[in-house]
DNA sequence: ATCTTTGCAAATGCTTTGCACATTC
DNA sequence: GAATGTGCAAAGCATTTGCAAAGAT
């Protein structure tokens, strides 16, 4: 949170109570990949007067600052998770086609593919988004 | 087209002139990753009376039948390309962050990562969606 | 003749925006 | 006190849907 506050400050933004509350909900729900509306519902429990537009503006800002990562699980809404600055590329997600559960893959293992792409396509990779669809341990 | 017609027929759907025109536009614009509206504008040139809703219904149907693959390049609209039945998994896309150009990667090279996921996460992979963001040959 | 498909317009659902007021530094 | 941030309601935009008419087998 201290790190995040200084990122905001460095960029000329304030850590308002709404932004702090939004961040705390996301920090306390790691691995949940919350949608904007889910974040809104949670934040409302401590800040009942907050508006949905504020949550939209906050997650957009936090994404631009690299604090959040926007996820797309093909369900028609944006979802967010904390960015992990120690990982230089986003991690992958496993999405169960039966129950919808989403889990994370810590292994990257894309080095050789990315080298091949750099070599064969002359394309400089900065980041990637990788989703695997299939059946989770409970549904397979 | 003969193959597609029989897939439609097998599933109890008709190859109407609207569906044929939609397919022809997609067939004649391979590698363009057209959005629904772009398809609509193209189809209108030969079928001026077609409605946008028909295009939406057609691409949805063709996707369900496995004839099209829906793509998401994070620009707020669905895009489609022909499915390549000889590939058992969708191919990857390279998206240039500067000029927006999208190109395709024929190399899969995900076998070892997918084996690791099966082993470590007990997750049975059926398909994947892989996007690489970076700078293309002209922009790097 | 029956079942499917289409065009249109309206509805939907997520997200963004304009604006007056409030808050922060 | 100037600039930034917020809440609300309205607008925006891609997509879906209800329905009556048209089309296919």
């Amino acid at each position: 949170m201290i790190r995040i506050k200084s990122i905001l400050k460095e960029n000329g933004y304030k850590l308002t109570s709404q932004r702090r509350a939004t961040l705390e909900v996301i920090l306390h729900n790691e691995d949940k990949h919350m949608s904007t509306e889910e974040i809104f519902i949670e934040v409302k429990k401590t800040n009942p007067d907050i508006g949905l537009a504020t949550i939209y503006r906050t997650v957009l800002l936090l994404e631009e600052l690299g604090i959040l990562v926007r996820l797309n699980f093909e369900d028609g809404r944006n979802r967010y998770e904390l960015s992990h600055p120690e990982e230089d590329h986003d991690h992958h997600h496993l999405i169960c086609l039966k129950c919808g559960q989403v889990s994370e893959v810590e292994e990257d293992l894309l080095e050789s593919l990315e080298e091949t792409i750099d070599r064969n396509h002359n394309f400089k990779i900065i980041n990637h988004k990788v989703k695997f669809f299939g059946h989770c341990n409970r549904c397979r």
Side-chain angles (χ1 to χ4, degrees), chain A:
Chain A
M1 188 59 102
I2 295 166
R3 181 183 72 87
I4 294 171
K5 179 165 186 174
S6 56
I7 293 174
L8 284 166
K9 207 165 205 170
E10 278 165 27
N11 288 276
Y13 299 109
K14 299 166 186 171
L15 182 56
T16 62
S17 64
Q18 291 91 335
R19 287 176 182 161
R20 167 174 272 120
T22 303
L23 273 162
E24 265 162 10
V25 162
I26 296 168
L27 284 163
H28 292 147
N29 290 277
E30 284 233 50
D31 304 346
K32 288 250 186 74
H33 315 105
M34 297 175 90
S35 69
T36 315
E37 183 142 25
E38 287 166 353
I39 296 168
F40 174 61
I41 291 167
E42 250 340 268
V43 173
K44 247 183 147 23
K45 291 180 182 171
T46 57
N47 285 46
D49 294 339
I50 201 167
L52 179 54
T54 299
I55 307 288
Y56 272 98
R57 284 187 277 234
T58 300
V59 291
L60 199 67
L61 175 65
L62 295 175
E63 189 204 348
E64 283 166 4
L65 294 176
I67 295 165
L68 296 184
V69 175
R70 179 166 39 82
L71 307 171
N72 180 324
F73 295 157
E74 322 257 330
D75 62 352
R77 65 204 65 195
N78 287 335
R79 297 178 172 278
Y80 294 90
E81 66 180 12
L82 275 175
S83 171
H84 296 281
E86 71 281 6
E87 303 172 356
D88 65 334
H89 282 176
D90 294 346
H91 55 248
H92 318 145
H93 290 94
L94 308 179
I95 302 166
C96 180
L97 293 167
K98 291 188 182 170
C99 71
Q101 189 212 80
V102 176
S103 49
E104 318 206 332
V105 183
E106 56 281 1
E107 301 93 343
D108 186 323
L109 292 185
L110 250 47
E111 292 82 5
S112 76
L113 174 53
E114 298 195 345
E115 278 166 27
T116 304
I117 289 171
D118 194 333
R119 191 165 354 97
N120 293 2
H121 299 262
N122 192 22
F123 187 94
K124 169 70 179 160
I125 291 172
I126 292 175
N127 204 350
H128 53 226
K129 288 198 184 277
V130 180
K131 292 177 280 193
F132 293 100
F133 297 90
H135 299 145
C136 72
N137 51 356
R138 281 180 303 182
C139 296
R140 78 182 295 176

